[in-house]
């Protein structure tokens, strides 16, 4: 009973201690949890606790230091300048708390450039952290070290990058690759060393780091594509496993390589001739069309468009259509890509025109891109639906969208003759609109259609409406047209096509509706803009030349010339003087002033003046604004912004035959050794454990991986048959047993002779005997190790 009672007391005491310890631990964690919950947002509130930051950074408590660092990082996120605490923060760079050290590194990355002298004080700590057992610490130390923008430590940064490039952790190697461009930007004189590091990193087999290597390659040595020769096929195969943004950089690198080093795909009558390495690239990146990252999908689209043959283009349609519903920003970029691709292959997207219809909540740029795209994929089959959409878009509240829609209606009339009648009716109706932008755009489009049609035939195809009837309708509505450019276009059309052979109540040789336009515009000449005044002067001259004998028309023209001669705008005055001089041989003497009669110079006849005014026009230039091919390739910022951007990578043209395919041949059956950075003890253990594997195969057979044997040796190592393996094993065991017996005899003799003697003369024979015993004990352990039967002799 006494034993059981004592045992029960012990259990009770231990239970109480455990309960107290759990309560303390729970309270500790709860305090941290409450601190994080209560102060998670308070780090961004007020400046009351900023006075204690210095004290907290100098405190011995890790909790206070962590709280101070969190406050500093929160202030940095708000855009506050907290560089005044740099000296106190640097002191904690060697903190044993991992969370504190992470925040310190983040702070140093932000302000190391502003305080280079103080940052140099912690360089030794960073170099020491490069050998830390935690790969996260090694990577962050390299990031901070490469972020210190001080040229004098460039050599140290190169050495650190070179060391981390051979690190066993792929995360560290990734940061080493990202540090290469920083070092190159810091001091470009280290370019040869950095190229050597990039060459080493290109051998990396880890998908985690190879994307950063591609980024470093593009930033440091983009023209050294010869370094990629032996890695091209491996990079194509590994791209599926690379991280998303690494896939983008690697795709751009592989595309540049294929365009520079591989032969162009040839389209023949009997099929397509595509290089096997291009097919490898296309087949390797095709699964990336299913990526959730739009940038990856667009990068793969770029590869298929610029490197693939035409038969591969259909594969890019569905992935691009899928991205249209992701977000408004992505939709705009995708539409730019689709617009460029559709100009080369409009049949790919024509069946999906309903996916590109404008929505009310679309961005302005998205609406404009959709209107351009609808006009690119316009066909005889879908023109009716697209034309109805364009007419509806004219009522859009944005002026630019309405203007683009009206220009699209005119383009539809030119591309599809069957739609001409509907387009003309819509445009004439728009002239009656109360909106200036609609009127001006409609008049400009009608002017262009009339010019284009009169240069070919007298009537529009598919309609009995004559272009002169359209001009007459515009002339009658001149009072309703208030937009300066549209009003000037109507006046120019009236003057250019006012000649008529029909006899009417008006002046001879002039259409009935032309003089009335001159009368109306002469009354409002003083209130017109300079652009309209110039066209009124030209109209007066043209009508007077067509009918010089009509006195009313001559007086009206002279009235316009007199108004223009004293106008405030010098362009109007110059045009009036020039026209008056041009008409010197046509104007009757009674209408001339004394200064004009005495003017000397060449006087042109009526036929010559008519030729100058009517026939001296350039040919009709089709208005393709917004629809011309953009020279910028897809994937560039200039294609989106519409402005040329500097330092944008342009794709090179294909080579005639490409480089030798043998340059890309490499024995992939023997992978290169993985970069390893181990201590001496770890290297010793690895050296002991590493033994050449023996694979048993039947005599004369093939290897396990299907590779053929050559002289009994495959590409993966030494292969032996089963009988020979047993014979070699038995002989090896006998030799090892003999060696062990000889060693034991030698050790016994040495122990009997030298026992108790001081071998090194230091007077301490006991230590020597203990040392010899430890060696024997270590040799015994190594002899019992299954993998050390051949090396323990050397160790002893």
């Amino acid at each position: 009973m006494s034993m059981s009672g004592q045992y029960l007391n012990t259990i009770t005491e231990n239970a109480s201690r455990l309960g107290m310890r759990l309560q303390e631990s729970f309270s500790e964690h709860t305090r941290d949890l409450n601190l994080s919950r209560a102060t998670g947002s308070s780090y961004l509130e007020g400046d009351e606790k900023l006075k204690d930051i210095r004290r907290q950074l100098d405190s011995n408590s890790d909790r206070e230091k962590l709280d101070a660092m969190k406050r500093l990082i929160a202030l940095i996120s708000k855009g506050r300048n907290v560089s005044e605490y740099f000296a106190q923060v640097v002191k904690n760079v060697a903190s044993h708390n991992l969370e504190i050290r992470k925040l310190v590194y983040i702070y140093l990355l932000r302000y190391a450039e502003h305080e280079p002298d103080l940052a140099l004080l912690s360089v030794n700590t960073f170099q020491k952290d490069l050998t830390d057992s935690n790969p996260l610490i090694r990577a962050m130390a390299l990031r901070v070290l490469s972020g210190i923008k001080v040229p004098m430590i460039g050599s140290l940064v190169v050495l650190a990058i070179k060391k981390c490039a051979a690190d066993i952790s792929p995360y560290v190697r990734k940061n080493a690759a990202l540090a290469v461009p920083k070092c190159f930007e810091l001091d470009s004189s280290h370019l040869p060393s950095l190229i050597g590091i990039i060459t080493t990193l290109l051998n990396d087999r880890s998908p985690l780091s190879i994307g950063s290597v591609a980024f470093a390659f593009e930033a440091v040595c983009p023209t050294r594509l010869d370094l990629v020769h032996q890695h091209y096929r491996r990079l194509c195969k590994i791209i599926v496993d690379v991280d998303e943004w690494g896939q983008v950089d690697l795709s751009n690198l592989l595309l540049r390589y294929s365009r520079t080093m591989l032969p162009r795909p040839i389209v023949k009558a009997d099929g397509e001739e595509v290089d096997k390495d291009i097919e490898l690239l296309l087949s390797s990146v095709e699964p990336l069309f299913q990526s959730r990252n739009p940038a990856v999908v667009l990068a793969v689209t770029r590869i298929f468009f610029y490197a693939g043959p035409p038969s591969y283009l259909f594969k890019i349609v569905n992935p691009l259509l899928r991205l249209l519903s992701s977000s408004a920003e992505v939709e705009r970029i995708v539409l730019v890509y689709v617009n460029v691709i559709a100009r080369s292959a409009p049949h790919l997207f024509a069946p999906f025109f309903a996916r590109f219809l404008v929505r009310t909540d679309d961005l302005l740029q998205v609406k404009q891109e959709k209107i351009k795209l609808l006009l690119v994929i316009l066909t005889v089959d879908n023109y009716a639906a697209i034309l109805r959409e364009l007419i509806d878009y004219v009522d859009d509240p944005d002026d630019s969208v309405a203007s683009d829609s009206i220009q699209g209606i005119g383009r539809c009339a030119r591309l599809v003759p069957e739609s001409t009648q509907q387009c003309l009716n819509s445009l004439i109706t728009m002239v009656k609109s109360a909106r200036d932008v609609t009127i001006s755009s409609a008049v400009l489009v009608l002017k262009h259609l009339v010019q284009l049609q009169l240069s070919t035939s007298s009537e529009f195809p598919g309609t009995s409406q004559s272009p002169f009837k359209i001009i007459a309708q515009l002339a009658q509505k001149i009072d309703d047209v208030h937009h300066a450019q549209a009003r000037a276009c109507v006046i120019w059309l009236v003057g250019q096509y006012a000649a008529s052979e029909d006899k009417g109540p008006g002046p001879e040789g002039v259409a009935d509706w032309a003089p009335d336009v001159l009368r109306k515009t002469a009354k409002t000449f003083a209130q017109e803009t300079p652009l309209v005044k110039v066209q009124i002067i030209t109209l007066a001259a043209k009508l007077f030349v067509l009918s010089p004998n009509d006195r009313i028309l001559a007086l009206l023209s002279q009235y316009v010339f007199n108004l223009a001669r004293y106008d405030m705008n010098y362009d109007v005055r110059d045009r009036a003087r020039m026209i008056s001089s041009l008409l010197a041989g046509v104007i009757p003497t009674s209408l001339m002033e004394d200064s004009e009669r005495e003017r000397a110079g060449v006087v042109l006849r009526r036929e010559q003046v008519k030729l100058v005014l009517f026939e001296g026009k350039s040919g009709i230039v089709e208005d393709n604004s917004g629809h011309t091919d953009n020279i910028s390739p897809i994937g560039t910022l200039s294609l989106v912004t519409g402005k040329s951007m500097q330092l944008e990578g342009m794709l090179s043209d294909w080579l005639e035959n490409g480089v030798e395919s043998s340059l890309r041949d490499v024995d992939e059956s023997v992978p290169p050794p993985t970069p390893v950075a181990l201590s001496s003890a770890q290297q010793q253990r690895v050296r002991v454990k590493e033994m050449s594997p023996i694979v048993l195969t039947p005599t004369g057979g093939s290897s396990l991986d299907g590779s053929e044997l050559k002289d009994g040796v495959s590409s993966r190592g030494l292969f032996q048959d089963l009988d020979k393996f047993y014979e070699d094993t038995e002989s090896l065991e006998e030799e090892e047993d003999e060696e062990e017996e000889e060693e034991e005899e030698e050790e016994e003799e040495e122990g009997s002779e030298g026992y108790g003697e001081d071998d090194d003369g230091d007077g301490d024979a006991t230590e020597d005997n203990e040392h010899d015993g430890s060696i024997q004990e270590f040799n015994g352990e190594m002899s019992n190790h299954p993998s050390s039967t051949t090396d323990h002799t050397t160790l002893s």
Side-chain angles (χ1 to χ4, degrees):
M1 291 295 293
S2 61
M3 292 291 294
S4 61
Q6 184 178 1
Y7 182 69
L8 181 61
N9 293 333
T10 304
I11 293 178
T12 304
E13 185 179 357
N14 292 337
S16 62
R17 290 179 180 177
L18 180 61
M20 293 176 62
R21 185 172 301 175
L22 289 175
Q23 185 176 3
E24 292 177 358
S25 178
F26 181 76
S27 300
E28 186 74 17
H29 289 289
T30 304
R31 183 165 60 250
D32 293 340
L33 186 61
N34 292 335
L35 178 65
S36 61
R37 287 182 177 178
T39 62
S41 60
S42 63
Y43 292 131
L44 300 173
E45 298 175 358
D47 298 337
E48 296 82 3
K49 298 184 179 181
L50 296 182
K51 302 176 181 179
D52 298 333
I53 289 182
R54 296 184 188 275
R55 180 188 59 79
Q56 289 178 319
L57 290 175
D58 295 333
S59 174
N60 295 327
S61 174
D62 287 346
R63 183 180 293 106
E64 292 189 358
K65 292 181 180 180
L66 184 60
D67 180 72
M69 290 306 306
K70 287 182 178 180
R71 294 187 184 280
L72 291 179
I73 301 302
L75 292 173
I76 291 175
S77 66
K78 292 175 62 177
R80 296 280 298 274
N81 183 11
V82 291
S83 58
E84 56 181 307
Y85 303 100
F86 194 91
Q88 287 75 23
V89 173
V90 171
K91 297 178 182 178
N92 299 294
V93 72
S95 175
H96 297 289
N97 190 311
L98 185 59
E99 295 297 326
I100 296 177
R101 193 183 296 187
K102 289 180 183 178
L103 297 178
V104 170
Y105 282 174
I106 294 174
Y107 181 92
L108 292 179
L109 281 174
R110 176 67 177 81
Y111 291 108
E113 184 177 0
H114 301 283
E115 299 286 345
D117 296 334
L118 292 177
L120 289 176
L121 299 177
S122 56
V123 168
N124 293 334
T125 304
F126 299 143
Q127 289 181 308
K128 181 180 178 182
D129 288 344
L130 293 175
T131 60
D132 194 276
S133 59
N134 191 338
L136 183 62
I137 296 298
R138 298 199 299 269
M140 294 187 68
L142 180 61
R143 287 182 59 191
V144 179
L145 190 61
S146 60
I148 301 177
K149 304 286 182 71
V150 181
M152 63 182 298
I153 65 170
S155 301
L156 295 178
V157 176
V158 172
L159 294 176
I161 296 175
K162 187 177 297 183
K163 181 177 182 179
C164 292
D167 196 275
I168 191 174
S169 172
Y171 179 72
V172 179
R173 299 198 298 271
K174 175 182 179 179
N175 282 272
L178 294 176
V180 170
K182 298 180 183 178
C183 183
F184 178 72
E185 182 181 359
L186 180 64
D187 190 355
S188 59
S189 62
H190 298 292
L191 179 61
S193 301
L194 297 178
I195 292 178
I197 295 174
I198 293 177
T199 305
T200 303
L201 290 172
L202 283 173
N203 293 314
D204 199 341
R205 298 274 171 152
S206 174
L208 180 62
S209 59
I210 199 64
S212 302
V213 177
F215 171 76
F217 183 92
E218 293 285 358
V220 176
C221 52
T223 59
R224 291 293 307 274
L225 292 175
D226 56 298
L227 302 176
V228 189
H229 284 322
Q230 296 191 354
H231 309 287
Y232 172 79
R233 293 169 183 168
R234 177 174 56 84
L235 294 177
C236 290
K237 296 175 182 178
I238 203 177
I239 190 173
V240 181
D241 301 322
V242 180
D243 62 282
E244 293 178 346
W245 295 109
Q247 288 172 345
V248 176
D249 295 323
L250 191 56
S251 298
N252 295 333
L253 174 60
L254 294 176
L255 175 60
R256 285 204 313 113
Y257 180 87
S258 61
R259 293 273 298 192
T260 307
M261 300 295 180
L262 301 181
R264 181 201 301 267
I266 301 175
V267 180
K268 298 181 179 179
D270 54 348
E272 296 174 341
E273 181 179 343
V274 186
D275 188 79
K276 62 178 183 179
D277 288 322
I278 294 181
E279 291 182 344
L280 173 63
L281 174 62
L282 296 176
S283 61
S284 299
V285 301
E286 185 176 355
L288 300 182
F289 276 132
Q290 308 301 324
S291 175
R292 62 180 181 179
N293 191 333
V296 177
V297 179
L298 295 179
V300 178
T301 300
R302 194 164 177 254
I303 291 179
F304 271 74
F305 183 66
Y306 287 119
S311 62
Y312 281 72
L313 284 180
F314 75 95
K315 297 182 180 181
I316 69 179
V317 177
N318 290 328
L320 291 179
L321 294 178
R322 174 174 64 87
L323 295 180
L324 290 176
S325 57
S326 57
S327 67
E329 293 78 11
V330 174
E331 184 182 18
R332 179 190 176 188
I333 306 301
V334 173
L335 286 173
V336 173
Y337 275 64
V338 175
N339 223 325
V340 176
I341 298 172
R343 293 170 194 169
S344 302
H347 63 278
L348 294 176
F349 299 96
F352 307 98
F353 74 93
R355 301 290 298 272
F356 308 114
L357 299 181
V358 176
R359 298 190 301 268
T360 307
D361 57 345
D362 282 337
L363 299 175
L364 171 62
Q365 296 81 1
V366 172
K367 291 180 180 179
Q368 293 175 337
E369 289 295 333
K370 284 185 175 181
I371 293 174
K372 294 178 184 178
L373 183 57
L374 289 174
L375 297 176
V376 171
I377 62 178
L378 183 70
T379 61
V380 179
D381 299 328
N382 58 21
Y383 83 89
I386 294 179
L387 182 57
R388 288 196 300 269
E389 290 290 329
L390 293 175
I391 295 174
D392 185 63
Y393 300 158
V394 175
D395 297 330
D396 192 271
D398 194 279
D399 292 343
S400 60
V401 175
S403 178
D404 291 343
S405 302
I406 296 174
Q407 292 179 6
I409 294 173
R411 183 176 175 82
C412 185
R414 294 192 299 270
L415 296 178
V416 184
E418 292 82 356
S419 65
T420 303
Q421 180 63 47
Q422 186 178 358
C423 294
L424 290 177
N425 293 337
S426 302
L427 292 171
I428 293 174
T429 304
M430 293 173 189
V431 176
K432 303 176 184 179
S433 174
R435 190 178 179 184
D436 289 343
V437 175
T438 303
I439 298 174
S440 61
S441 300
V443 169
L444 290 173
V445 173
L446 283 172
K447 166 183 171 292
H448 185 74
L449 290 176
V450 168
Q451 285 184 270
L452 189 64
Q453 193 59 35
L454 288 176
S455 63
T456 56
S457 61
S458 59
E459 292 184 356
F460 289 101
T463 177
S464 59
Q465 192 169 12
S466 170
F468 293 103
K469 293 182 180 179
I470 297 177
I471 298 176
Q473 294 178 7
L474 293 176
Q476 293 172 3
K477 296 181 176 63
I478 187 64
D479 292 335
D480 299 330
V481 180
H482 302 287
H483 192 272
Q485 188 176 7
R487 194 173 175 84
C489 286
V490 173
I491 296 173
W492 183 88
L493 281 174
V494 171
Q496 184 69 18
Y497 301 103
S500 176
E501 301 295 337
D502 300 335
K503 294 183 179 181
E508 183 181 358
V510 179
D512 297 340
W513 33 265
D516 194 51
V517 174
L518 180 60
R519 179 185 62 83
K520 292 178 180 180
T521 54
K523 291 173 59 177
T524 59
F525 185 87
Q527 291 79 33
E528 301 289 352
T529 61
L531 179 63
V532 178
K533 289 179 180 179
V534 170
Q535 294 301 327
I536 294 174
I537 297 170
T538 306
L539 173 62
K542 289 179 179 180
L543 296 182
F544 180 72
V545 170
L546 291 175
S547 182
N549 298 325
D550 189 89
R551 182 171 181 79
I552 298 177
L553 196 58
L555 291 174
L556 191 58
S557 301
Q558 189 64 31
Y559 172 73
V560 171
F561 295 152
N562 291 334
L563 290 176
R565 180 171 298 179
Y566 301 102
D567 193 85
M568 297 295 294
N569 188 279
Y570 61 86
D571 289 332
V572 177
R573 297 196 301 269
D574 291 345
R575 176 63 64 92
R577 292 190 183 97
M578 188 270 291
I579 293 295
S580 299
S581 301
L582 190 65
L583 299 176
V586 183
I587 298 177
T589 307
S590 59
L591 298 178
M592 288 186 180
E593 296 182 358
D594 296 337
S595 59
E596 293 179 348
R597 294 193 189 98
E598 298 175 357
R599 182 181 301 167
V602 179
V603 178
L604 301 180
R605 300 189 305 273
R606 179 188 172 212
E607 291 76 11
Q608 294 173 327
V609 175
K610 196 174 182 180
L611 183 64
V612 172
L613 291 177
F614 289 93
E615 305 298 333
K617 307 300 177 186
S618 61
I620 304 300
V621 179
E622 186 174 358
D623 184 15
N624 286 332
S625 59
H627 304 286
T628 56
D629 291 337
N630 198 314
I631 60 174
S632 301
I634 60 176
T636 57
L637 187 60
S638 58
L639 183 65
V640 180
T641 60
K643 301 178 181 179
S644 60
M645 310 295 292
Q646 297 181 352
L647 303 178
E648 277 193 332
M650 304 298 290
L651 285 176
S652 60
D653 199 4
W654 293 92
L655 293 180
E656 290 294 332
N657 300 319
V659 298
E660 290 292 336
S661 177
S662 59
L663 295 175
R664 294 180 289 276
D665 294 337
V666 62
D667 187 9
E668 298 183 356
S669 59
V670 182
T674 304
V676 177
L678 300 175
S679 63
S680 58
Q682 290 174 328
Q683 292 177 0
Q684 179 66 23
R685 288 195 294 268
V686 171
R687 193 179 300 112
V688 172
K689 293 181 181 180
E690 284 183 348
M691 297 293 293
S692 299
I694 300 177
V695 182
L696 305 181
T697 58
T699 305
S702 60
S703 62
L704 294 178
D705 60 350
S707 58
E708 298 295 333
L709 295 174
K710 296 180 181 180
D711 300 332
V713 179
S714 71
S715 60
R716 287 190 176 273
L718 183 62
F719 290 85
Q720 299 176 349
D721 58 37
L722 194 59
D723 297 334
K724 187 175 181 181
F725 170 74
Y726 283 127
E727 293 176 1
D728 294 345
T729 304
E730 292 176 357
S731 60
L732 183 62
E733 291 177 353
E734 292 177 357
E735 293 177 359
E736 292 175 353
D737 293 339
E738 294 177 358
E739 292 177 356
E740 290 178 359
E741 292 177 357
E742 293 177 359
E743 291 174 358
E744 290 177 357
E745 293 177 358
E746 293 178 357
E747 291 174 357
E748 292 176 356
E749 293 177 358
E750 293 176 357
S752 60
E753 293 177 0
Y755 184 79
E757 296 180 1
D758 184 5
D759 293 338
D760 53 2
D762 58 357
D764 193 351
T766 305
E767 292 181 0
D768 295 337
N769 292 332
E770 292 177 354
H771 178 67
D772 293 339
S774 63
I775 292 178
Q776 293 176 10
E777 182 180 356
F778 177 75
N779 290 337
E781 293 177 357
M782 293 302 296
S783 63
N784 295 329
H785 197 282
S787 62
S788 60
T789 54
T790 59
D791 295 339
H792 72 280
T793 305
T794 306
L795 293 174
S796 62

